[in-house]
Amino acid sequence: MTDAFPFSAVDSATALPNGEAPAPLGSDAHKRLFCRTLLDTHDPYRPAVIDWPKLDEETRGKIVSLPIWDMAVATEGRAGINVGTYGEEMADPLLREAIALDAYEERRHKTVLSHMVAAYGIELAPEPPYPRPRDPEWAFMRTGYSECIDSFFGFGLFKIAKDSGFFPPELVDTFEPVMREEGRHILFFVNWVAWWRRTMPWWRRPWFELKVIAVWFFLIWERIDMAKGMGDNSKAQENNFTLNGSKELGVEISFPELARICLAENDRRLAPYDKRLIRPRFVPAMMRLALRFAGGKKAGASA
Ligand SMILES: [Fe+2]
Ligand SMILES: [Fe+2]
């Protein structure tokens, strides 16, 4: 497999609207804007040439024992097939190219991880199969919304790992492109949802909205199920690194503090992109609500 993304002729034919030209949700300009934003911010790094920094034994040991690697590899593997399959059925050439790039980047994340696993001697459980989804739209939405949850917490935990020195600076630099990509993916995804629900035939809309609700229930159920399996080691792997992540990183941190870091990082990572694009709202809104219940007046202010 070549590890560069093959850009097509769609590029030159679909320039972004000029300057601050309006791009109302669901318009052609909106579609061009969210597709071009993903395509034009692509970073063509090659996983094969990443020079994995040499770690001292203590740091390597801590990284190896993080209970996330099996889950991370499987999630990226599933994301690649879920996103890729949906892209294949796209008639619109620009959407097709953008979704193909999204899938390519997911496959590349998996390649990055497998190189890292090899470099540091992390032992993985056998990988699960990644079957082609029967309902590509459902699969695309499952991956998209799941990334909206996981990236939100991932951004905050990455910041904690960086600030606490758990991840040495060289490793932070190596993973930074992956984090940036997840930010671009969720931005693309929520704009696709907004565009698609406004442009689909009216009779498809109720079914689509039911699917959105079903995906959220599924993802919440999946996380509750993982949390229940905490006592069981294999489940703990998959489990809520997002809930327990800061402990795994050796940092004692209160929920309001964690939530504030996640909110701030989420805002920071999504800030550079065009203001006409919408941002993921549901998970940040839930966190702000939770912060209010946690009695965090200060928390709300800095979020
Ligand atoms: Fe990914
Ligand atoms: Fe992603």
Side-chain angles (χ1 to χ4, degrees), residues 76 79 83 102 105-106 109 143 147 151 181-183 185-186:
E76 301 295 358
V83 175
D102 188 337
E105 290 179 356
E106 296 301 359
H109 291 169
T143 288
E147 289 197 324
S151 299
E181 271 157 11
E182 295 303 6
H185 292 173
I186 58 177

Side-chain angles (χ1 to χ4, degrees), residues 74-105:
T75 303
E76 301 295 358
R78 196 170 49 230
I81 187 84
N82 283 356
V83 175
T85 310
Y86 186 59
E88 286 166 19
E89 68 173 38
M90 276 292 122
D92 182 289
L94 182 60
L95 270 174
R96 190 183 169 90
E97 184 177 7
I99 297 175
L101 176 76
D102 188 337
Y104 162 78
E105 290 179 356

Side-chain angles (χ1 to χ4, degrees), residues 70 72-79 81-82 110 127-133:
D70 289 334
V73 169
T75 303
E76 301 295 358
R78 196 170 49 230
I81 187 84
N82 283 356
K110 185 166 178 289
E127 267 189 72
Y130 306 113
R132 279 176 75 83

Side-chain angles (χ1 to χ4, degrees), residues 79 82-83 102 106 137-151 182 185-187 189-190 192-193 215-216 219 280:
N82 283 356
V83 175
D102 188 337
E106 296 301 359
E137 187 184 69
W138 165 275
F140 183 62
M141 289 162 70
R142 176 188 166 184
T143 288
Y145 282 124
S146 158
E147 289 197 324
C148 287
I149 301 173
D150 297 337
S151 299
E182 295 303 6
H185 292 173
I186 58 177
L187 185 74
F189 176 73
V190 295
W192 168 81
V193 172
V215 169
W216 276 106
L219 293 173

